[in-house]
Amino acid sequence: MNCGRLSVSLEENGYDILIADGLLDGIGDLAGRLRSDGSTVAVVTDDNVWREHGERLSASMSRADVVFEPIILSPGEENKSIQGLASLYDEFARLALTRGSLAVAFGGGVVGDLCGFAAATWMRGIRYIQVPTTLLAQIDSSVGGKTAVNIPRGKNLAGAFHQPSLVVIDPVTLETLPPREMRSGMAEAVKYGAIRGAPLFDLTASPLEPCLSDVIYECCRVKCEIVSADELDRGERMLLNFGHTFGHAIERESNFGKYRHGEAVAFGMTLAADIGERLGLTSPGVADALRRALASRGIQAEYPGSAEDLLPALAADKKSVGGGVRMVLLRNIGTAFIRSMSFSEISLALESAAVR
Ligand code: NAD
Ligand code: GLY
């Protein structure tokens, strides 16, 4: 089992990612060390996570004599909003958090993104720890310091880069994760293999159930490398957005409620692979390999709606430029690249018979 420590190496504010079964039981000591004053530690979480794992976190904080207070949100993407952020600021004010205070994001990507953005902006920035509890958050959203909220016109449009001081991953917390959420996270794992690691792709595409700790470690290793080389998403990091251009549009078109993030990314990956193949930029067979990998993990690959109808939403994407968008495409499994594409080029490729 590949458990252990990885480091995100940055000029400033580098940090460790700790991965091991049982780490949640040590969170009190870790939080105690990162606080720089005696103020209350704000633990931002949601109902489901708190119900399943709150006791372990509370016991650990008590053992370490760390005064904390849980801020328990309703679960769901709709809470990753300006209103959700405003409520969090209210709670931070009630707890009298100072510049030396610490926040803990204890939950999935929604809690992580929202708590991270609140930490980025509260008193112009306080420290926070990511303690991710979904597979998606453990392999992706907790690492790299992207924080954001959605606005009605688009996903993650208001946000900031704010690196956590530490990421603490306890794979045991995944034992209570609903199967649909596991599949959503696994779609992001397939993405990592598709853009960067053919061996990781084979692991996720295996007919056997892959060892989760291996998947988590390998995905975090790839993300560490990429974020260490391009913290601010100006080049290589954009490759992590494979499947996300259409994925974000699908989430937005369905009002952020119908599809899980990973499900939308899975649709987006097959659409991008189909478009790449149609334009002769992606090797033939790559789209089918992706479909097989997703199917082996029980993930739906085909977007049931009309991809053409998504084009207006693509224009609202953060990656849209002028009359087009920077799409991440695959050359082969394991090799990705960025290509600027006009909306008419995308539209033509979508119309073609190669797109199912
Ligand atoms: P989520 O946070 O909504 O969690 C999914 C569901 O699982 C929720 O109902 C939650 O309550 C529940 N849950 C969480 N942990 C649990 C556990 N251990 N046991 C039982 N239930 C549990 O969804 P997510 O998929 O983790 O995150 C999606 C969000 O992450 C999106 O908003 C997406 O934009 C964001 N994201 C951010 C980044 C980034 O780099 N910041 C990267 C990828 C995705
Ligand atoms: N999830 C994409 C990124 O962190 O850049």
Side-chain angles (χ1 to χ4, degrees), residues 140 143 146 191 223 237 240-241:
D140 189 359
V143 177
K146 279 191 181 175
K191 175 203 77 178
K223 184 138 191 194
R237 185 165 178 176
L240 290 170
N241 285 325

Side-chain angles (χ1 to χ4, degrees), residues 47-260:
D47 278 320
N48 296 330
V49 176
W50 194 249
R51 187 183 60 246
E52 299 289 356
H53 304 286
E55 252 179 60
R56 279 180 68 201
L57 180 137
S58 302
S60 175
M61 293 286 195
S62 302
R63 277 195 302 275
D65 278 333
V66 173
V67 179
F68 78 99
E69 187 144 343
I71 301 171
I72 306 172
L73 313 171
S74 300
E77 183 77 28
E78 57 279 12
N79 298 303
K80 207 180 102 176
S81 62
I82 298 283
Q83 292 76 10
L85 181 66
S87 318
L88 210 45
Y89 288 145
D90 264 354
E91 293 293 310
F92 282 8
R94 183 179 63 78
L95 298 178
L97 296 199
T98 67
R99 275 201 167 158
S101 297
L102 180 74
V104 176
F106 181 42
V110 164
V111 162
D113 281 10
L114 184 62
C115 174
F117 191 40
T121 45
W122 181 254
M123 296 197 172
R124 301 198 178 86
I126 62 170
R127 291 203 273 185
Y128 74 115
I129 306 180
Q130 288 274 13
V131 186
T133 63
T134 61
L135 180 59
L136 183 138
Q138 295 191 350
I139 65 174
D140 189 359
S141 61
S142 63
V143 177
K146 279 191 181 175
T147 74
V149 295
N150 306 322
I151 61 170
R153 279 174 181 271
K155 204 172 146 66
N156 295 335
L157 287 185
F161 285 99
H162 186 52
Q163 299 295 341
S165 299
L166 183 68
V167 181
V168 180
I169 299 176
D170 181 349
V172 173
T173 56
L174 300 181
E175 284 173 7
T176 57
L177 194 66
R180 186 176 177 189
E181 301 299 340
M182 282 298 277
R183 288 195 295 274
S184 170
M186 204 45 95
E188 290 276 7
V190 171
K191 175 203 77 178
Y192 277 104
I195 62 165
R196 194 62 177 250
L200 175 60
F201 186 82
D202 292 343
L203 183 69
T204 56
S206 152
L208 302 171
E209 205 54 48
C211 166
L212 270 185
S213 297
D214 286 348
V215 171
I216 294 166
Y217 184 91
E218 276 308 307
C219 292
C220 285
R221 193 182 57 72
V222 172
K223 184 138 191 194
C224 270
E225 272 177 23
I226 292 181
V227 171
S228 299
D230 177 24
E231 179 186 2
L232 299 179
D233 207 8
R234 294 189 174 126
E236 190 182 358
R237 185 165 178 176
M238 286 185 222
L239 300 179
L240 290 170
N241 285 325
F242 176 53
H244 284 59
T245 305
F246 277 105
H248 282 170
I250 289 166
E251 285 185 86
R252 189 187 149 215
E253 282 305 284
S254 52
N255 287 326
F256 304 119
K258 185 167 178 190
Y259 298 112
R260 307 300 307 131

